[in-house]
Amino acid sequence: MTEFDYPASWYAATRDADKVRPALATQEVADVVVVGGGFAGLHTARLLAQKGKRVALLERRRIGWGASGRNGGFVGAGYAQRSGALVDRLGLEHVRQLYAQSRRGVAIVREAITDFGRPDILMGRGKLSVSRTDQGTGFADRTRKLAEQLGAAFEPWQTSRVRDVLATARYHQAIHDPTAFHIHPLNFALALAGAIERRGGKIYERTDVIELAREGDGAGGGWRVRTPQGSLTAHHVVLAGNADLGPVHRRLAGAVLPVATYVAVTEKLGPRLGEAIQWTGAISDTRRAGDYYRIVDRDRLLWGGRITTDTTEPKRLRDMMRRDILSVYPQLGHIEIAHAWPGIMGYAPHKMPQVGEIEPGLWVCSAFGGHGVAQTAAGADAVAAGILGDPSRCLLFAPFGTGWAGGSAGRAATQLAYWGLQMRDWWDEKRQAQNAETLRT
C-alpha cells in the first residue's frame, strides 16, 4: 500500500469506483482555495461552487482519505460539547442558534444525497443515545424541556422501550432523534467531489501545501498557496484540515489535538444479530468515551469506540473491539471481525468546531472530531455564507476561538482527563449495579 491508497476498512472495500485526480502542477487563479479534502472542505467547495464561485480544492492524499472516510457515519444535530455546558457559558438564545445551525447541517447532508440521486448512501434512519445508568424518574421531563428549549425534535424513551429493540441489560433510558440518520461516509465524500467538479470546481489530490502567503497589502489583497509543483492565487483561502496543517499554518495546527478512535465491522452474523438489535438506526451510549454502532449490509455490525491521544494502532485491535461488542451483547457468541481500523480526528480543547475568518480572506473550518457528519456541513455553510458576505453564522462559533491546544503536554493532559472521565463512568455503573443488587436481596 502506498501513502495515497485508501487505508483498509469496510468503507474502502465497498467504495464507489473513482478516478485518481492529478496533483497541482501549474500556476492557477481561483476565487476560493480550499485546503483539505474531508467533509469540511468538500462541503465548503460545493456550497461556493453552487453560488458560481471559482473553487479549487487541494488534498494531500485522496478525497475522504482521513477521518471523513473512516468514521461512524452518524448524521444528527448537536455538538460534542454538552448543551448544558454551552448554555451555562453562552446563554440559551445563543445555544438555540448554534443548535439550529447544526440542524441546518443535517438538512444539507440529506438534501445533497437526494440531489445526487444516491439513496444507497443513506443506510438507516433515526438515532438512539442510550444511557448505561438509570437516569431516574425525572428523565422524561428533563429531556422534553431541553428539546423545547433548543427547538429540537428529540424525545425520551423509557427503559422498557429501549430494551424492546436492544436486547441488553446494559442500557436504561434513551434519547431518540427521529431526524438523524447514518450513511456510507466514504461514498458520500466521493459523491461530493463529483458534484464540485460538475459545477466547474477543480480538485487536486496528492498535493501538499508547502506555503501560504499574503498577496498584496491589507484586506484588499489575496493569498498565494504554493505546492511542490504549482501554486494557486485567490481572494479567499479556507483551511479545512486538522492537526496536519502544520506546514500551512502552525498556529492552527497547534490548536487541534489529534485523537484516535477505532471502528470494526463483523463478518455476516445472520439472524442472531437481528435478535439482539431490532433497530436499523444509529446507536451510541452517553458515556464520555462511549460506544457507537449500527447494522450495515443487513447483518453485519459496525462498532466504534474508545478515545485516546495515542495515535498508534493497538496490536490486538480486533480482539479489543470483539470484547467491547460482547460486553454489551454476549448472546452474539463467537463473532469474527472482518475489518478493523483506526481513525485520527481533530479535537479542540473547548470541544467545539473552529469556524470563521481568522485574518482577512483566511478562514478556518476545522476540529470536527466527535461531532458527527452534519456539523462539518454546518461549519462549511457558515464559512461559505461569510465568504459571500453574511458573517452572522460564523459569529455563532466566535466565542470558542483557536487557542493553542498545548502540544504534547496538551495531549497528555487530555488523555489523563479521558481516563478520569472513563473511571467516573465505570464507577457510576458499578455503584448503580451494587445498589440494585442490595435492593434485590
Side-chain angles (χ1 to χ4, degrees):
M1 185 178 105
T2 74
E3 65 173 312
F4 301 117
D5 291 331
Y6 284 102
S9 72
W10 182 77
Y11 297 135
T14 57
R15 75 182 186 275
D16 294 336
D18 193 57
K19 61 185 177 183
V20 178
R21 295 168 173 89
L24 177 66
T26 56
Q27 283 70 49
E28 303 286 344
V29 176
D31 296 322
V32 183
V33 173
V34 178
V35 179
F39 283 138
L42 291 164
H43 281 299
T44 303
R46 175 175 174 263
L47 292 169
L48 289 168
Q50 286 178 325
K51 295 297 184 179
K53 293 293 184 181
R54 295 175 300 165
V55 176
L57 184 148
L58 305 176
E59 164 55 41
R60 65 183 303 198
R61 292 187 175 93
R62 301 287 305 280
I63 292 299
W65 187 93
S68 292
R70 306 189 217 177
N71 62 74
F74 289 16
V75 185
Y79 299 93
Q81 180 60 285
R82 301 187 180 212
S83 297
L86 291 173
V87 171
D88 290 343
R89 178 176 177 180
L90 303 173
L92 180 57
E93 183 54 35
H94 192 144
V95 177
R96 279 179 63 89
Q97 293 179 55
L98 273 170
Y99 192 86
Q101 185 64 21
S102 74
R103 293 186 70 177
R104 190 180 184 94
V106 174
I108 289 170
V109 176
R110 183 186 299 110
E111 291 163 6
I113 291 171
T114 300
D115 289 347
F116 300 157
R118 292 292 308 274
D120 57 296
I121 289 176
L122 198 159
M123 303 178 72
R125 300 179 186 273
K127 179 177 183 291
L128 290 176
S129 300
V130 296
S131 175
R132 289 178 56 143
T133 56
D134 191 332
Q135 296 301 298
T137 57
F139 165 77
D141 289 340
R142 293 194 305 271
T143 301
R144 293 189 187 100
K145 180 180 179 180
L146 181 60
E148 181 180 357
Q149 289 177 327
L150 295 177
F154 57 72
E155 60 187 2
W157 277 23
Q158 294 295 352
T159 302
S160 59
R161 189 173 182 184
V162 173
R163 293 182 180 178
D164 281 343
V165 297
L166 304 177
T168 176
R170 285 294 186 118
Y171 297 152
H172 297 269
Q173 299 91 342
I175 295 175
H176 171 232
D177 183 355
T179 68
F181 51 95
H182 58 91
I183 65 171
H184 191 300
L186 182 52
N187 282 346
F188 183 51
L190 296 174
L192 286 169
I196 292 164
E197 291 172 324
R198 288 193 295 274
R199 290 279 184 171
K202 296 182 178 181
I203 297 177
Y204 301 95
E205 295 182 316
R206 300 170 296 163
T207 301
D208 275 309
V209 175
I210 59 176
E211 184 182 33
L212 172 66
R214 181 173 288 284
E215 290 276 293
D217 297 322
W223 294 87
R224 180 176 294 275
V225 177
R226 192 163 66 86
T227 73
Q229 296 175 297
S231 67
L232 271 159
T233 302
H235 289 294
H236 297 276
V237 172
V238 181
L239 301 178
N242 282 310
D244 57 354
L245 283 173
V248 187
H249 200 289
R250 295 199 178 278
R251 182 174 68 79
L252 280 182
V256 179
L257 291 170
V259 174
T261 186
Y262 308 105
V263 182
V265 175
T266 68
E267 296 284 3
K268 296 178 78 64
L269 298 178
R272 58 186 163 138
L273 180 57
E275 293 168 3
I277 303 173
Q278 299 178 40
W279 174 256
T280 58
I283 305 152
S284 66
D285 71 53
T286 56
R287 293 176 299 164
R288 282 81 170 182
D291 302 319
Y292 51 93
Y293 56 97
R294 57 195 177 105
I295 294 175
V296 298
D297 193 20
R298 294 181 296 279
D299 60 351
R300 297 179 190 268
L301 183 60
L302 183 151
W303 189 281
R306 300 179 177 252
I307 295 177
T308 176
T309 58
D310 181 357
T311 56
T312 58
E313 181 175 342
K315 292 181 179 179
R316 300 184 65 84
L317 177 57
R318 294 177 184 232
D319 291 339
M320 183 175 76
M321 301 304 285
R322 182 185 297 108
R323 287 195 301 271
D324 287 351
I325 295 169
L326 294 177
S327 72
V328 179
Y329 296 106
Q331 67 269 43
L332 291 177
H334 178 73
I335 57 176
E336 292 293 337
I337 303 298
H339 304 270
W341 65 92
I344 309 301
M345 307 176 292
Y347 274 81
H350 48 59
K351 301 179 185 176
M352 287 294 288
Q354 296 174 339
V355 175
E357 190 175 24
I358 55 174
E359 296 181 39
L362 182 61
W363 304 76
V364 61
C365 193
S366 182
F368 292 100
H371 294 280
V373 172
Q375 290 66 24
T376 59
D381 173 78
V383 168
I387 289 172
L388 295 170
D390 176 8
S392 61
R393 300 171 202 172
C394 282
L395 291 176
L396 294 173
F397 299 92
F400 306 107
T402 56
W404 186 49
S408 58
R411 288 192 290 275
T414 299
Q415 185 62 63
L416 289 172
Y418 276 131
W419 283 337
L421 293 171
Q422 288 171 321
M423 181 60 69
R424 284 173 55 189
D425 287 328
W426 174 84
W427 174 244
D428 287 346
E429 289 184 60
K430 183 177 178 63
R431 181 176 56 186
Q432 195 164 92
Q434 289 173 337
N435 291 341
E437 182 63 27
T438 299
L439 290 173
R440 283 194 295 269
T441 57

